[in-house]
């Protein structure tokens, strides 16, 4: 069974930085797309950034130039470096893996349980 676990969420002042990490467990052979999503209180979950197996990245407009997504294909981990944080970045951040091959199984999509990022003004 494959599980994802985020870490790195914290309380930070506006303008500060945080680095989120998503670790995986299980006998993973490959992961197509890794990504980060976030959900603020009272809002829908939204895409933050994704990175494909060939390292192609996408970002939501509000995070371009401030956030950087990266992946470690050996340890099957994904990172999100967040700089110049704003109060509107406050949310629970979730990692997401798509098309995960692990042992005899292929998982279309996996989610972590989230890590809270709070940015004060």
């Amino acid at each position: 069974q494959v599980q994802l676990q985020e870490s790195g969420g914290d309380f930070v002042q506006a303008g500060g930085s945080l680095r989120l990490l998503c670790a995986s467990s299980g006998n993973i052979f490959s992961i197509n797309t890794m990504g980060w999503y976030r959900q603020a209180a009272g809002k829908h979950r939204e895409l933050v950034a994704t990175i494909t197996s060939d390292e192609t990245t996408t970002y939501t407009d509000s995070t371009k130039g401030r956030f950087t997504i990266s992946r470690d294909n050996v340890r099957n981990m994904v990172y999100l470096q967040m700089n110049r944080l704003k109060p509107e970045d406050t949310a629970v951040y979730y990692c997401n893996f798509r098309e995960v091959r692990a042992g005899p199984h292929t998982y279309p999509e996996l989610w972590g349980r989230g890590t809270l990022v709070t940015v004060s003004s």
Side-chain angles (χ1 to χ4, degrees):
Q1 184 178 1
V2 178
Q3 293 184 329
L4 308 183
Q5 180 64 60
E6 303 91 340
S7 61
D10 206 342
F11 182 95
V12 63
Q13 291 188 335
S17 297
L18 285 175
R19 187 178 191 232
L20 304 184
L21 177 153
C22 176
S24 60
S25 62
N27 185 25
I28 294 176
F29 176 70
S30 66
I31 304 164
N32 186 351
T33 302
M34 299 179 175
W36 289 94
Y37 290 72
R38 65 187 180 187
Q39 187 167 14
K43 296 187 177 181
H44 295 295
R45 190 173 298 187
E46 65 171 357
L47 170 70
V48 175
T50 62
I51 183 167
T52 63
S53 55
D54 64 357
E55 306 283 335
T56 300
T57 58
T58 60
Y59 297 91
T60 191
D61 287 344
S62 63
T63 63
K64 286 179 181 177
R66 299 189 299 123
F67 291 8
T68 303
I69 188 171
S70 59
R71 62 190 283 169
D72 183 331
N73 292 320
V74 174
R75 294 189 289 177
N76 295 315
M77 297 171 69
V78 63
Y79 306 91
L80 185 68
Q81 178 66 42
M82 304 187 295
N83 298 327
R84 303 198 307 275
L85 282 161
K86 304 176 181 180
E88 51 264 44
D89 295 318
T90 295
V92 178
Y93 284 70
Y94 299 89
C95 66
N96 172 273
F97 287 5
R98 294 186 178 179
E99 295 180 39
V100 180
R101 291 180 59 192
H105 305 291
T106 298
Y107 299 88
E109 188 171 55
L110 294 169
W111 290 92
R113 293 191 174 188
T115 185
L116 178 61
V117 172
T118 304
V119 185
S120 67
S121 58

